[in-house]
C-alpha cells in the first residue's frame, strides 16, 4: 500500500473511532458479601467484593460492555442502567421479565450499549428488592473531549444516597406478599456512599438527641467518607438517590447549593439552602467553599414525605486548612418538617430547562390518565394503576411482542383513564381491582401525554409522595397541580421551558403532567421508584415499534415461552 493509502487508512480509522467512541469493558461479579453499612454486620449484595458497586466512568459516545456474572446462590439478577435511554439496544435496559430474562445463578450476560449523552446516572438491580439489598453504583458520563460544560467548577465528587434496613430483603418480600400484610417500616439508617451510623450520631455533642456520640477508630467500613475541599473553590457534587423508600432533604451547613443538572439534563441554575431529592433522581449542584476556612461543615440528609423514624445521615465537608478529625462545632442543618409539602413544592417548581433545551411538541396524539390507588386484591394489599396491579409475566415482553407469542401476557388493552366520579379524597375501601400484565402500545414517534393522579390510600390514612421513573426516554414535565386533574388545568401547562427528566414526583392529593415522544423502539416500564411499591404492582408497561427492534441477543430471551425458540435468524 502507498504512503498516501496508509495515511487515508489511518484517517479513516481515526474517524471511525471518533464516530463510535471508545469501548469500555467491565467485568461485574454480583455476589453476596458481609458488610457493615451502618456499623451493624449483615449480608449485602455487592459487585466484585465492593459495596456500593464500582463507579463506571465514560465519555458521551462511548460503548459500555459490562459482563455480568451472577454469583448469587439462589436467585436471578439483572442490572438496570438508570437514565441511559438505550437507543437501538432495548434488550440492555436491564429489567427482568420486561427487556430480558433474569440471569440465572452461575450464568453471565453481556450488556453492550452506547452512552449517548453526558450526565449523572447510576445503575441498580431491577429484580425483586435487590436494590434494597445494596445492588447499585454510580455511572458518570463526561462530555466528549473538546466540549465544555454549561458551568465552570474546580473539582467534583460523587454523593450516592440510600436507605438501609436490618431486616433482610427476603423477609421484606415475604411480608409484602402475605396475608395479613406486613409493611417494611422505616429504614434503620441513611447512607452516603454506602456509609451510615446506627444507634449513634456523629453530631450528638452539638445537638439535642438521645443518641450517643459515635466513636470511630478510623478503619470502620461505616466510618463516614469525608469530602476534602480547598477554600474559595467551586465544586460540582453529583448526587444520585438509590433509596428504596425514603425521600430525602440534602443540605450543607452554611453553604448554598446551585442546581445545574437534573437527570442528565441541564437546568436553568437556581440557588437554594437545601434540596429535596426523591428515589431515582440525579442532580449536579455547585458549592462554593466561601465560608470560614478554620471550620468544617456538616453534610446532612434527612427523611421527607414520611413521618421519620430514621436519624439524619451525616458526613463532613473538610476544608483542608483543618484536620479532617475536627467535627463541626455547630449543629447539622435542620431537616424541614416531614410533611411540609409546600417546602418540597417550592424547590420542585423552580426547576426549568436551560435555554437551548429542546422544547416539547405543542400537541399530543394520545393521553393517559393514570390513577394510583392502594387496593385489596384477593386479600393481598396491592398498589394499582386504574385498578390494575402490575404482575410481570415469566416471558419477557420484548420477546413476546416481537415474535407474536400469544398467552404470555394480557392482550386486553389496559384502561386509558379512570372513572369520572372517582373521589380522590374519599375513595371506596376496596375498589374492584385485579392484577394484570397488559401493555400500552404506541406508534413510532407518537406524542403521548401522561397525567399521574394521586389519591388517598386505603382506609383513608392519607396520601403519599410517589416518584415515577420512565425507562428508555426523557419526558417534559409540563406541570403540577393540587386536587383532581380537570380539563381546564391544561392552561397551566408550561410549554416554554419545561424541564427534561426521566423521574418525576407526584405530590399527595395532586397530579403531575408529562409529555414524551415514543421515538425509541422497545418495551419500557414506567413505575413508582419506591421499591416496595413497584413490588406491590405500582407500574405500567409501554411498548413502541417493536418491528424496528433488531439484533436481540438470544440469551436475553431464553426463558418462559421463548426458552426453546431459536431467534437468531428471525430478527436480524
Amino acid at each position: 500500500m502507498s504512503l498516501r493509502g496508509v495515511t487515508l487508512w489511518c484517517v479513516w480509522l481515526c474517524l471511525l473511532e471518533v464516530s463510535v467512541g471508545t469501548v469500555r469493558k467491565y467485568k461485574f461479579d454480583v455476589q453476596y458479601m458481609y458488610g457493615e453499612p451502618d456499623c451493624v454486620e449483615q449480608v449485602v449484595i455487592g459487585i466484585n467484593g465492593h459495596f456500593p458497586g464500582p463507579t463506571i466512568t465514560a465519555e458521551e459516545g462511548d460503548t459500555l460492555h459490562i459482563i455480568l456474572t451472577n454469583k448469587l446462590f439462589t436467585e436471578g439478577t439483572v442490572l438496570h442502567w438508570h437514565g441511559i435511554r438505550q437507543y437501538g439496544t432495548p434488550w440492555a435496559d436491564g429489567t427482568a421479565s420486561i427487556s430480558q430474562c433474569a440471569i440465572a445463578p452461575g450464568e453471565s450476560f453481556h450488556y453492550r450499549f452506547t452512552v449517548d449523552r453526558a450526565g449523572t446516572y447510576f445503575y441498580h438491580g431491577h429484580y425483586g428488592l435487590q436494590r434494597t439489598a445494596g445492588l447499585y453504583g454510580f455511572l458518570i458520563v463526561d462530555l466528549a473531549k473538546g466540549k465544555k460544560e454549561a458551568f465552570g467548577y474546580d473539582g467534583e465528587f460523587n454523593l450516592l444516597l440510600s436507605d438501609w434496613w436490618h431486616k433482610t430483603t427476603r423477609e421484606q418480600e415475604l411480608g409484602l406478599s402475605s396475608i395479613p400484610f406486613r409493611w417494611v417500616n422505616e429504614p434503620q439508617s441513611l447512607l452516603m456512599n454506602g456509609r451510615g451510623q446506627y444507634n449513634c450520631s456523629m453530631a450528638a455533642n452539638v445537638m439535642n438527641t438521645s443518641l450517643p456520640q459515635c466513636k470511630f477508630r478510623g478503619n470502620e467500613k461505616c466510618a463516614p467518607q469525608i469530602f476534602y475541599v480547598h477554600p474559595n473553590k467551586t465544586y460540582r457534587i453529583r448526587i444520585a438517590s438509590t433509596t428504596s423508600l425514603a425521600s430525602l432533604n440534602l443540605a450543607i451547613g452554611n453553604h448554598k447549593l446551585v442546581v445545574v443538572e437534573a437527570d442528565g439534563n441541564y437546568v436553568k441554575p437556581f440557588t437554594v439552602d437545601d434540596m429535596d431529592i426523591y428515589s431515582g433522581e440525579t442532580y449536579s449542584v455547585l458549592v462554593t467553599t466561601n465560608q470560614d476556612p478554620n471550620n468544617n461543615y456538616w453534610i446532612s440528609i434527612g427523611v421527607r414525605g414520611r413521618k421519620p423514624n430514621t436519624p439524619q445521615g451525616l458526613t463532613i465537608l473538610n476544608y483542608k486548612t483543618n484536620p479532617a478529625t475536627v467535627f463541626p462545632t455547630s449543629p447539622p442543618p435542620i431537616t424541614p418538617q416531614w410533611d411540609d409539602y409546600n417546602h418540597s413544592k417550592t424547590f420542585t417548581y423552580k426547576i426549568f430547562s436551560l435555554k437551548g433545551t429542546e422544547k416539547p411538541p405543542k400537541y399530543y396524539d394520545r393521553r393517559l390518565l393514570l390513577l394510583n390507588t392502594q387496593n385489596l386484591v384477593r386479600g393481598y394489599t396491592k398498589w394499582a394503576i386504574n385498578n390494575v396491579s402490575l404482575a410481570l409475566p415469566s416471558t419477557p415482553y420484548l420477546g413476546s411482542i416481537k415474535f407474536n407469542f400469544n398467552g404470555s401476557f394480557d392482550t386486553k388493552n389496559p384502561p386509558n383513564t379512570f372513572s369520572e366520579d372517582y373521589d380522590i379524597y374519599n375513595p371506596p375501601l376496596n375498589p374492584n381491582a385485579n392484577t394484570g400484565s397488559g401493555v400500552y402500545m404506541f406508534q413510532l414517534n407518537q406524542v403521548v401525554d401522561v397525567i399521574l393522579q394521586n389519591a388517598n390510600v386505603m382506609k383513608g390514612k392519607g396520601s403519599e409522595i410517589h416518584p415515577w421513573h420512565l425507562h428508555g426516554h426523557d419526558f417534559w414535565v409540563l406541570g403540577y397541580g393540587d386536587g383532581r386533574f380537570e380539563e381546564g388545568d391544561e392552561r397551566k401547562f408550561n410549554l416554554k421551558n419545561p424541564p427534561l427528566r426521566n423521574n418525576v414526583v407526584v405530590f399527595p392529593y395532586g397530579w403531575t403532567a408529562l409529555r414524551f415522544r415514543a421515538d425509541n423502539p422497545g418495551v419500557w416500564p414506567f413505575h413508582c421508584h419506591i421499591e416496595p411499591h413497584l413490588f406491590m404492582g405500582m407500574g405500567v408497561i409501554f411498548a413502541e415499534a417493536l418491528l424496528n427492534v433488531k439484533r436481540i441477543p438470544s440469551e436475553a430471551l431464553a426463558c418462559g415461552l421463548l426458552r426453546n425458540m431459536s431467534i437468531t435468524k428471525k430478527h436480524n
Side-chain angles (χ1 to χ4, degrees):
M1 184 180 290
S2 66
L3 180 61
R4 181 174 181 271
V6 171
T7 302
L8 289 174
W9 177 251
C10 291
V11 169
W12 183 84
L13 283 178
C14 290
L15 288 174
L16 179 64
E17 184 177 354
V18 169
S19 65
V20 301
T22 300
V23 177
R24 299 178 186 266
K25 196 170 184 178
Y26 292 82
K27 189 177 185 302
F28 276 11
D29 290 342
V30 175
Q31 56 201 156
Y32 300 113
M33 55 181 283
Y34 287 110
E36 299 176 10
D38 63 357
C39 307
V40 177
E41 184 181 76
Q42 62 188 111
V43 174
V44 304
I45 298 181
I47 297 176
N48 300 343
H50 295 282
F51 164 77
T55 296
I56 294 175
T57 57
E59 292 183 358
E60 59 180 358
D62 286 351
T63 295
L64 293 179
H65 179 189
I66 296 101
I67 306 169
L68 190 154
T69 300
N70 181 3
K71 293 191 174 181
L72 304 176
F73 307 126
T74 58
E75 56 189 306
T77 194
V78 293
L79 278 181
H80 168 55
W81 316 97
H82 188 106
I84 305 301
R85 293 174 291 186
Q86 301 292 350
Y87 286 125
T89 52
W91 52 266
D93 190 46
T95 50
S97 297
I98 302 170
S99 63
Q100 70 171 107
C101 304
I103 306 163
E107 298 293 326
S108 296
F109 186 83
H110 292 250
Y111 289 101
R112 295 185 183 90
F113 55 90
T114 299
V115 287
D116 64 312
R117 179 189 53 177
T120 303
Y121 310 102
F122 63 102
Y123 61 85
H124 61 81
H126 214 290
Y127 183 76
L129 298 185
Q130 289 184 351
R131 173 160 57 92
T132 306
L135 186 52
Y136 45 73
F138 256 115
L139 198 171
I140 304 299
V141 182
D142 290 316
L143 288 170
K145 289 181 176 62
K147 290 187 176 181
K148 291 185 178 181
E149 293 281 9
F151 43 84
Y153 54 96
D154 302 301
E156 69 176 73
F157 51 88
N158 302 332
L159 189 55
L160 190 65
L161 310 179
S162 50
D163 42 15
W164 195 252
W165 279 259
H166 295 164
K167 184 186 296 183
T168 68
T169 52
R170 292 294 181 86
E171 188 176 354
Q172 291 183 48
E173 289 173 351
L174 178 61
L176 296 173
S177 308
S178 295
I179 302 175
F181 176 73
R182 299 186 184 185
W183 178 237
V184 300
N185 294 319
E186 302 305 308
Q188 274 65 64
S189 55
L190 303 176
L191 309 182
M192 288 190 271
N193 290 349
R195 300 179 180 207
Q197 295 79 46
Y198 174 68
N199 268 353
C200 73
S201 172
M202 292 172 56
N205 291 345
V206 292
M207 63 184 295
N208 182 20
T209 177
S210 60
L211 294 173
Q213 180 72 29
C214 294
K215 296 180 180 179
F216 298 110
R217 298 183 304 273
N219 60 348
E220 295 90 349
K221 295 179 181 178
C222 60
Q225 180 181 343
I226 308 298
F227 294 99
Y228 303 97
V229 295
H230 292 282
N232 299 311
K233 300 289 184 182
T234 297
Y235 291 85
R236 177 185 190 171
I237 308 177
R238 296 181 182 265
I239 309 161
S241 175
T242 71
T243 56
S244 177
L245 175 65
S247 302
L248 300 174
N249 180 268
L250 169 72
I252 302 178
N254 288 21
H255 290 74
K256 300 287 187 181
L257 309 175
V258 182
V259 182
V260 293
E261 177 208 351
D263 295 347
N265 294 285
Y266 292 136
V267 299
K268 183 179 179 180
F270 63 97
T271 303
V272 291
D273 294 318
D274 60 84
M275 59 185 292
D276 281 358
I277 179 167
Y278 304 101
S279 178
E281 291 186 327
T282 66
Y283 289 96
S284 283
V285 300
L286 302 181
V287 175
T288 299
T289 53
N290 55 7
Q291 297 302 300
D292 184 350
N294 296 313
N295 293 326
N296 292 328
Y297 301 88
W298 296 113
I299 301 176
S300 73
I301 52 175
V303 173
R304 300 278 282 123
R306 304 182 63 85
K307 191 171 184 178
N309 193 27
T310 311
Q312 280 180 303
L314 297 171
T315 190
I316 294 174
L317 186 75
N318 170 230
Y319 278 55
K320 285 193 172 182
T321 45
N322 301 309
T325 53
V326 176
F327 281 15
T329 56
S330 299
I334 297 173
T335 300
Q337 178 73 20
W338 69 273
D339 58 354
D340 182 359
Y341 296 117
N342 287 331
H343 188 92
S344 306
K345 293 174 183 178
T346 297
F347 171 77
T348 300
Y349 296 170
K350 288 181 178 179
I351 303 174
F352 299 102
S353 62
L354 188 66
K355 185 178 180 180
T357 302
E358 180 185 3
K359 295 183 183 298
K362 290 185 178 180
Y363 306 102
Y364 66 86
D365 301 312
R366 185 175 174 187
R367 170 177 285 176
L368 303 178
L369 284 87
L370 303 182
L371 170 72
N372 65 268
T373 56
Q374 196 178 64
N375 309 77
L376 281 182
V377 180
R378 297 184 299 277
Y380 294 95
T381 302
K382 297 287 186 181
W383 286 96
I385 303 302
N386 292 351
N387 273 348
V388 179
S389 181
L390 180 63
L392 296 176
S394 58
T395 303
Y397 287 104
L398 185 63
S400 298
I401 302 173
K402 172 70 177 177
F403 303 115
N404 296 316
F405 263 76
N406 295 323
S408 61
F409 65 93
D410 298 339
T411 56
K412 181 181 178 181
N413 293 330
N416 290 334
T417 187
F418 56 96
S419 172
E420 291 185 2
D421 60 1
Y422 190 95
D423 186 347
I424 66 167
Y425 297 101
N426 297 289
L429 180 61
N430 295 315
N432 185 25
N434 289 289
T435 57
S437 57
V439 178
Y440 292 95
M441 301 282 191
F442 304 132
Q443 299 174 8
L444 186 63
N445 290 319
Q446 195 171 23
V447 177
V448 182
D449 273 15
V450 178
I451 312 298
L452 289 165
Q453 178 69 63
N454 212 344
N456 211 329
V457 300
M458 196 165 57
K459 299 181 181 179
K461 293 183 178 179
S463 187
E464 299 183 6
I465 280 178
H466 298 288
W468 279 71
H469 171 54
L470 176 59
H471 294 228
H473 303 78
D474 282 345
F475 50 72
W476 292 275
V477 183
L478 301 184
Y480 306 86
D482 298 323
R484 179 175 169 139
F485 178 80
E486 305 291 346
E487 286 299 322
D489 288 328
E490 284 190 49
R491 293 192 294 269
K492 304 175 185 177
F493 286 180
N494 172 19
L495 299 179
K496 178 182 177 182
N497 58 353
L500 268 173
R501 305 291 301 265
N502 59 63
N503 292 267
V504 71
V505 61
V506 188
F507 291 109
Y509 299 116
W511 57 264
T512 298
L514 57 95
R515 179 171 294 173
F516 73 96
R517 190 184 297 277
D519 59 358
N520 193 3
V523 182
W524 311 105
F526 180 45
H527 61 88
C528 180
H529 210 262
I530 292 175
E531 191 92 307
H533 289 185
L534 174 59
F535 187 86
M536 296 163 64
M538 192 188 292
V540 295
I541 303 296
F542 295 160
E544 54 206 67
L546 269 295
L547 291 177
N548 294 34
V549 175
K550 308 295 183 184
R551 297 180 297 278
I552 304 173
S554 57
E555 60 269 24
L557 304 178
C559 62
L561 297 178
L562 299 170
R563 183 182 294 109
N564 298 320
M565 188 185 88
S566 174
I567 67 173
T568 305
K569 296 181 180 180
K570 296 192 177 185
H571 68 284
N572 287 338

